[in-house]
Amino acid sequence: MKITFYGHASLGIEVDGVHILVDPFISGNENAKHIDISTLKADYILLTHAHQDHILDVETIAKNTDAVIVSNFEIVTHFQNKGFEGHPMNHGGTWDFEFGEVKYVNAIHTSSFPDGSYGGQPGGFVIEGEHKNIYIAGDTALTMDMKLIPLRTKLDLAILPIGDNFTMGIDDAILASDFVQCDKVLGYHYDTFGYIEIDHEVAKRKFFEKDKDLMLLEIGESLEL
């Protein structure tokens, strides 16, 4: 499993030749201007919620790639009405895709489209691949529901928001890693704009002091599990 960070909460995941994009907000991110979205591969696009900083590039990429959009019922219906292919899910539901089993899990946040219309309830994804399992938290506060995840899935990586203000901050993300029983964390949803700028060294040190590994990738950088 190869995971590439495209800035903010945007990720590329490659599993056995299948390409997945998560929450593509790239063209509107000044920090990600060097990423050409026309070159991105996508068989699936996973969306945690409907805010613009998570769906901005969905239509452009889906037109280029014919990707299947996976999200909650309301978001998928929104894009299906525009002619895109989608697979709707809801909290607690699981589906076995070609790249692995995906469970749509709870997140505490809001969800509306840029025009203010209802975007369903926000969520996160637990992906169980053939060899590795990951948790993509989406935009969320710390929630006790995270403790349910390790009852079913042993995680190899937790991808957690750390920018604070709109989501968890560093201290709550450390607690979240305890809740999901995963000490290997990829941080995201930080530094894109003023409200969520963080001190990288302080963040890494706080995780290190709790015997945890916080990875902060450069935009365009990848890690392999």
Side-chain angles (χ1 to χ4, degrees), residues 14 26 31 35 40 46 48 52 74-75 100 108 112 125 153 157 181:
E14 184 179 352
I26 301 167
N31 300 326
I35 304 296
L40 298 180
L46 273 57
T48 62
Q52 185 178 43
E74 289 80 5
I75 290 175
I108 296 180
S112 57
F125 297 99
T153 305
L157 179 71
Q181 296 179 21

Side-chain angles (χ1 to χ4, degrees), residues 8-9 15 18 47 57 70 73 97 101 107 128 137 146 158 166 187 192 194 224:
H8 198 52
V15 184
V18 179
L47 302 176
D57 296 318
V70 180
F73 178 82
F97 293 92
E101 189 176 84
E128 294 189 11
M146 293 173 178
F166 296 112
T192 316
E224 296 198 18

Side-chain angles (χ1 to χ4, degrees), residues 35-106:
I35 304 296
D36 181 358
I37 64 172
S38 68
T39 66
L40 298 180
K41 297 179 180 179
D43 298 298
Y44 297 89
I45 299 174
L46 273 57
L47 302 176
T48 62
H49 63 294
H51 287 162
Q52 185 178 43
D53 61 329
H54 294 256
I55 68 164
L56 179 67
D57 296 318
V58 170
E59 293 186 28
T60 299
I61 294 171
K63 284 177 183 176
N64 290 341
T65 63
D66 293 324
V68 177
I69 297 167
V70 180
S71 189
N72 65 38
F73 178 82
E74 289 80 5
I75 290 175
V76 168
T77 299
H78 170 88
F79 286 110
Q80 284 177 328
N81 289 339
K82 293 187 172 191
F84 296 99
E85 185 177 355
H87 180 104
M89 300 189 73
N90 217 320
H91 296 106
T94 302
W95 189 262
D96 191 9
F97 293 92
E98 60 182 305
F99 58 87
E101 189 176 84
V102 176
K103 188 177 185 70
Y104 190 67
V105 296
N106 194 37

